[in-house]
Amino acid sequence: PTNAGVQEEGISALTMLCGDAVPSREERAAEAGAIEAVVAAMRAHPTNAGVQAEGCHMLYAVSASDDAPNDVARARAAEVGALEAMVAAMRAHAYDVEVQENGCWALANVVGQGRVADSESSDAVGRSRSSFLMACARAQRAAASSAIEAVVAALRAHPREAGVQENGCLALAKICISGDGAGRARKQRAVELGALEAATAALRAHPHKRDVQEQAQGLCYMLAVVPRQSGAGGPSRPVWQGVHLAGLHPNVGRVHPTLHASSPHAAPSTPAATAPDV
């Protein structure tokens, strides 16, 4: 455990085993204690960018598929401090592109899905609701560890890095998932920190990057309406103002926020965009 090189290579091997999003491999790795081992390595070698980047990558990979066992893996990751470890890595290596890209990627996936079931089965709806509530709880834990601040900082520090922009926008959208007052507070915090401006900058800086366009626009829709500050009175107000997206990308204006995607590289599943409920 004291040899950073061995830890980095070991984490890389685990990532390769889980990297094809095969649920059985991911579940087996989690049951073998891989999540705990990776978090321990990240804690033991906080100044080693290679260990931190590989650690974040593996934490994404071990929970990459949508199968139910991965809700267990995500919960396990949160319980053993994976969210805090990822945020610590991003703060300690603010100018390392790989750490920032992988950190945002892993945050998005460990926080989780929040997907509504397509099936009319009451059991499926119940499982979907449970998954959503667990994702909200992980989102709150991530926010408490300053994940929103870390991701917004990454977007600002690496404006020309498409991977950071794409994964950062997805991570913020997952963390700001809104099912209650705490979710609305996370949205408000993201807006106050400049998440809308960062997403708009990503749209303008990467007009030909479809994935960046999808995730940045998704974040803009997610944050489009936030409650007024206490005592201000009146209804919720739009905060996404002065953002002109027409012409930036042929799909802008039609893509839906891909908040259900387990990977920031997944294809969009819905052609129509509507503002989310808040």
Side-chain angles (χ1 to χ4, degrees):
T2 60
N3 188 308
V6 171
Q7 295 295 301
E8 184 176 349
E9 290 298 322
I11 296 171
S12 179
L14 286 171
T15 302
M16 291 178 65
L17 288 171
C18 299
D20 294 328
V22 178
S24 61
R25 293 182 192 172
E26 296 166 5
E27 186 177 2
R28 189 165 181 175
E31 289 175 351
I35 295 171
E36 291 85 344
V38 170
V39 171
M42 293 175 72
R43 287 175 174 163
H45 303 280
T47 61
N48 188 295
V51 170
Q52 300 303 310
E54 285 294 342
C56 289
H57 193 179
M58 190 275 170
L59 290 170
Y60 161 79
V62 79
S63 56
S65 69
D66 290 342
D67 285 52
N70 275 322
D71 271 340
V72 176
R74 293 181 182 102
R76 190 168 188 167
E79 288 169 4
V80 301
L83 293 166
E84 291 82 358
M86 290 183 280
V87 172
M90 293 177 68
R91 296 180 73 141
H93 303 276
Y95 295 102
D96 188 295
V97 172
E98 188 176 9
V99 171
Q100 298 302 306
E101 183 173 345
N102 289 355
C104 290
W105 201 10
L107 279 171
N109 216 57
V110 172
V111 167
Q113 309 303 312
R115 181 173 62 180
V116 177
D118 295 327
S119 170
E120 294 182 358
S121 162
S122 59
D123 288 343
V125 172
R127 288 193 298 272
S128 181
R129 178 64 178 169
S130 175
S131 178
F132 174 78
L133 292 175
M134 289 190 292
C136 287
R138 291 191 295 272
Q140 187 60 26
R141 181 162 182 166
S145 69
S146 300
I148 297 174
E149 289 84 347
V151 175
V152 172
L155 291 172
R156 287 177 170 166
H158 304 281
R160 307 303 305 179
E161 295 292 338
V164 174
Q165 298 301 306
E166 177 191 347
N167 296 350
C169 286
L170 178 62
L172 285 175
K174 291 291 186 75
I175 295 168
C176 292
I177 189 170
S178 180
D180 53 16
R184 290 188 289 275
R186 293 192 297 274
K187 284 187 180 183
Q188 181 69 53
R189 180 61 176 157
V191 170
E192 290 171 353
L193 288 168
L196 276 169
E197 290 83 356
T200 303
L203 286 166
R204 291 173 174 159
H206 302 277
H208 304 297
K209 295 288 187 179
R210 178 188 173 93
D211 291 338
V212 175
Q213 294 290 309
E214 288 174 358
Q215 301 303 341
Q217 188 183 358
L219 179 59
C220 285
Y221 274 107
M222 167 66 81
L223 301 178
V225 179
V226 296
R228 286 186 180 273
Q229 294 181 352
S230 178
S236 297
R237 61 182 174 84
V239 295
W240 184 21
Q241 297 174 346
V243 180
H244 303 290
L245 304 179
L248 284 177
H249 191 278
N251 290 301
V252 170
R254 296 198 300 273
V255 294
H256 185 278
T258 54
L259 305 184
H260 64 281
S262 64
S263 166
H265 305 293
S269 62
T270 309
T274 56
D277 294 333
V278 292

